[in-house]
Structure formats: structure tokens, C-alpha cells
Amino acid sequence: MKKINALAVIGTRPEAIKMAPVVRALRATGRFDVHILFTGQHKGLLHQAASDFGLVADADLDVMRPDQALAALTSRLLDGIDSVMAGRAFDVVLAQGDTTTVLASAMASFYRRIPFAHVEAGLRTESIDSPFPEEANRRLAGALASIHYAPTRGALANLLREGVPADRIVVTGNTGIDALLDASRRSPELPVPVSSVDRLVLVTLHRRESLGAPLRGVLGAIREAIVGVPRARVVWPVHPNPHVREAAAEVLSGVAGVELVEPQGYLPFVALMQRADVIVTDSGGVQEEAPTFGAPILVVRETTERPEGVDAGLAELVGTDPVRIARRLGTLLATSVRRTQTVNPYGDGRASIRIADSLIQLLGTRPALHVTVPNGNTTPVLKVA
Ligand code: UDP
């Protein structure tokens, strides 16, 4: 039987983490030839995560430039991805999430009439500007996708509301939870000694729309909340973005109880989430993963496309107002935070298997997978024997 030729495009750390289980599940079926393309949108972090998962690229576009402008990045990505597509007849292209890599993959697939499978489809905030540019990236990629792998029922509802046909959506759970459950079974080790710590606050902050004054405000609030709390420790694996590093050094460097560390490998980072008493984050992936371990999560954003954690009372959307953050974090540090193992609303660890099954069904047994064209008609684009 002819194998299904799949192209998996991966640009950043979270894409590597969330696509690794998908690549593994596709390969495990024996029905796919999976070609892996790294775009290198965030080079260092991508390669760190890829090596954590043993993901090896067949090609690497290496597009990252210092302070890269979005338009230039998009055009480099579009050209680069298209040139890889020119060299091989792909039956399907997969990309995960909402980065510029994902948008360019969807566009390049559409231009070449290759079905685009969007992993983690249907996440939405109410504003196209927030988060920037991710909300626009995922809406645009969704408009070009042939099949939408929605992580939750909320994401399914968003897609249905936008008129995506129900038979083009599969609710899978988030593939990040597949990676997480696998990692937590491997008893990961903490990267920093914390035996003398009573209150461990794990921080990750990097969103583009918070850079500048909002980020400095959040860091000031963290500093204020932990000063004077005995045996409290803040651990922040600081994102390599120079604007984030500058703010971290300016506001938190040398503050007692604060440990600024390099970005961690996936396993040590999972160990930190397991051990944390409070998590302060603006990360999408961390909002999804952290509920597995039961620590309260303060989401320092004005909006979230991941409302399930907030709805379940596992996370709190605190915005970027320093007064509010200092107050909430102070309260959590002062009260004894009881850890309870929770049911993670984002996934059950089987998302990637569902995606592999669905693609085999769509590409392997049906006569053709269609690409929707802007006039609303559909064009059959392939048949895999
Ligand atoms: N992560 C990691 N090491 C770190 C910080 C985060 O491996 O030092 C992982 C984390 O577990 C999650 C992902 O990176 O799976 C989140 O990436 P990021 O916050 O950069 O992106 P986002 O999820 O916001 O798109």
C-alpha cells in the first residue's frame, strides 16, 4: 500500500513539544512517510525542545534573524516552505498552533493545493489584536485548513460558529498533554535545589504584547509579593528574547529569593511544574499543562483563548495590573495552598493517536480530501491508494 506523504512543519519550542507526539503517532501506524521541516523561527528553543524529543529535521530553513520584522519573516517562511514542497509530492501538511510558521504553512499548502491539517485549531479570543500576532495567525490558517484538529469542545464550538463544516473538525484533546503525561511518567528531576523552599513560584513570561511597561509592571509585582515571605523562591527560566532579558535583569536581578535561570529542557521544566506551589505565566502551553499538577495558575494576560482552566477554577486571568497581581500572589503565598490532583480539561494523552486515525480515514480510505476554495466550492486534490 502506498504510504501517505506527510510534511510536518515546526517553527518554535511549543510546536516541537506538541508535534513530537503527532509525528510519533503517525510513524507508529506504518502508514505515513513523515518529512520534518524546521523553520527555525525561534532557533535556540526549537532545537532544545527537538533534541528533548529526538525530533530530527529533514530540512531546516533557519529563518531566524535578530529583531525579525513579521512581514519579512512571513515572506522568508513562505518562500522556504514552498521550496521544500516543490521537491516532493506531499499528500498532507501538518502544522500546530498559531505562529507565523503555521500561517505560512497554511498559505503555502493552499497555493500548492495540498490539504493542510491544522493541529490545535479553533482557539479564539474576542480580539484579533490579542494575542498579537497569534490570534490573526490562527484565524487565517483556519480559513485555509482542510481539516481542523480542535483540542477542546470550546474550540469545536468556535469553528462551527465560523461556518467550518462539522465533518472537517475532529475534537482530539491537546497533543501537548500527550507529551506531558509521557514526561511525567519518566520522573523528571528538578534543575534547582528546592529542599529548603516552602513556596515555589514558577514564572514564565514572554508574550510580545506585554513587552515593555506591562512586563516591567508584572515583574515589579512579583518582587513586591515575595519580599519578606520566608522560604519563598521564584524560579524563572527567562525567555531568550532580548527585551524580556533586559526587563528581567533590570527588575529582578539580585533580588533575594529570585532565581533567574536559562530556559529549561522539557523534562526539568515539567519537574518544576510538578513541584510549584504557584505558577505565574502568560504562556499558552503552560496554561494547558499546569492543571495536571494542581498548583494555582495566575495568567498574566488580559484575554485567554484557553478559558477551560479558568472555567474549572484552576487558573485565574489576572491581567497585567501590578496592584492586582501583587495582591493575588501575596494571598496565594500567605495561604496554605492545598494541592489536589486535577483532571486536565485540555487533554487525556491520546490526541495524537486520534489525529493519526483521522488522517488515515480521510486520506487512506475516502476517495479524496477536498480543499475549500474561496468561492465556497470544493476541489478534490488528492487520492491516496
Ligand atoms: N517549556 C520548556 N522549558 C522552559 C519553559 C517552558 O520546555 O524553560 C515548555 C512548556 O512546558 C510548554 C512550552 O515550553 O510546553 C511553552 O512554550 P512557550 O511558553 O514558549 O510558548 P507558548 O505555549 O506560549 O506558545
Side-chain angles (χ1 to χ4, degrees):
M1 193 182 291
K2 181 184 175 299
K3 287 208 176 185
I4 299 168
N5 247 331
L7 174 65
V9 191
I10 298 171
T12 64
R13 168 173 67 189
E15 289 163 75
I17 293 169
K18 291 173 171 181
M19 282 295 275
V22 178
V23 169
R24 193 188 319 157
L26 295 180
R27 287 183 171 153
T29 66
R31 295 287 312 275
F32 293 86
D33 243 338
V34 186
H35 193 84
I36 298 179
L37 172 61
F38 286 174
T39 65
Q41 185 181 332
H42 287 165
K43 192 160 55 178
L45 293 184
L46 163 64
H47 288 138
Q48 183 184 35
S51 87
D52 287 342
F53 288 89
L55 266 184
V56 179
D58 296 289
D60 192 335
L61 298 177
D62 198 15
V63 294
M64 185 169 168
R65 302 285 180 278
D67 252 329
Q68 50 197 351
L70 286 171
L73 172 66
T74 309
S75 81
R76 279 199 302 279
L77 284 165
L78 197 50
D79 261 354
I81 295 168
D82 186 67
S83 64
V84 170
M85 289 174 172
R88 208 175 155 125
F90 290 107
D91 300 313
V92 64
V93 174
L94 296 101
Q96 183 283 333
D98 52 23
T99 63
T100 311
T101 289
V102 177
L103 173 57
S105 303
M107 290 170 71
S109 306
F110 183 72
Y111 290 151
R112 283 197 177 265
R113 321 303 294 136
I114 306 170
F116 176 70
H118 191 197
V119 178
E120 197 183 83
L123 273 60
R124 298 288 183 268
T125 64
E126 278 166 19
S127 162
I128 196 156
D129 297 313
S130 171
F132 177 87
E134 290 85 357
E135 180 68 18
N137 288 344
R138 59 187 167 229
R139 289 191 199 186
L140 295 167
L144 299 173
S146 300
I147 178 81
H148 306 253
Y149 293 118
T152 62
R153 299 201 68 78
L156 164 73
N158 293 337
L159 292 166
L160 291 174
R161 206 175 308 120
E162 290 171 11
V164 177
D167 66 353
R168 288 307 155 98
I169 311 169
V170 183
V171 179
T172 57
N174 198 300
T175 60
I177 306 304
D178 304 5
L180 181 73
L181 296 183
D182 195 35
S184 45
R185 278 192 288 269
R186 287 154 64 188
S187 313
E189 281 179 31
L190 284 161
V192 287
V194 290
S195 52
S196 61
V197 174
D198 266 353
R199 291 278 181 273
L200 179 66
V201 183
L202 175 62
V203 174
T204 81
L205 295 165
H206 70 91
R207 293 242 83 82
R208 198 182 270 255
E209 71 272 14
S210 303
L211 297 181
L215 178 60
R216 282 178 167 72
V218 173
L219 301 184
I222 293 171
R223 186 182 55 198
E224 190 187 322
I226 73 138
V227 165
V229 180
R231 294 161 66 95
R233 173 86 52 85
V234 170
V235 176
W236 179 13
V238 186
H239 196 276
N241 181 323
H243 302 288
V244 177
R245 297 222 149 192
E246 212 177 279
E250 198 182 297
V251 185
L252 289 178
S253 154
V255 174
V258 174
E259 206 157 336
L260 304 177
V261 297
E262 287 302 315
Q264 296 297 302
Y266 185 63
L267 285 175
F269 187 76
V270 169
L272 283 168
M273 284 193 287
Q274 279 176 326
R275 171 64 178 77
D277 298 289
V278 184
I279 295 180
V280 179
T281 190
D282 62 8
S283 156
V286 176
Q287 283 178 70
E288 291 153 357
E289 294 164 344
T292 294
F293 305 114
I297 306 153
L298 297 182
V299 180
V300 287
R301 289 179 46 181
E302 305 299 338
T303 55
T304 183
E305 59 287 291
R306 294 166 169 92
E308 292 84 357
V310 177
D311 295 345
L314 303 165
E316 192 179 331
L317 200 58
V318 288
T320 52
D321 171 21
V323 176
R324 182 169 176 200
I325 294 167
R327 193 177 340 111
R328 282 303 294 141
L329 184 53
T331 307
L332 290 172
L333 290 173
T335 49
S336 136
V337 184
R338 195 144 44 87
R339 262 160 210 290
T340 43
Q341 202 74 21
T342 51
V343 174
N344 189 313
Y346 296 102
D348 64 358
R350 297 180 53 80
S352 306
I353 291 173
R354 293 187 184 103
I355 290 171
D357 285 351
S358 142
L359 277 179
I360 289 175
Q361 217 190 339
L362 281 167
L363 297 167
T365 58
R366 281 198 190 173
L369 180 60
H370 295 71
V371 166
T372 305
V373 293
N375 64 9
N377 296 329
T378 56
T379 321
V381 289
L382 89 164
K383 183 177 166 75
V384 179

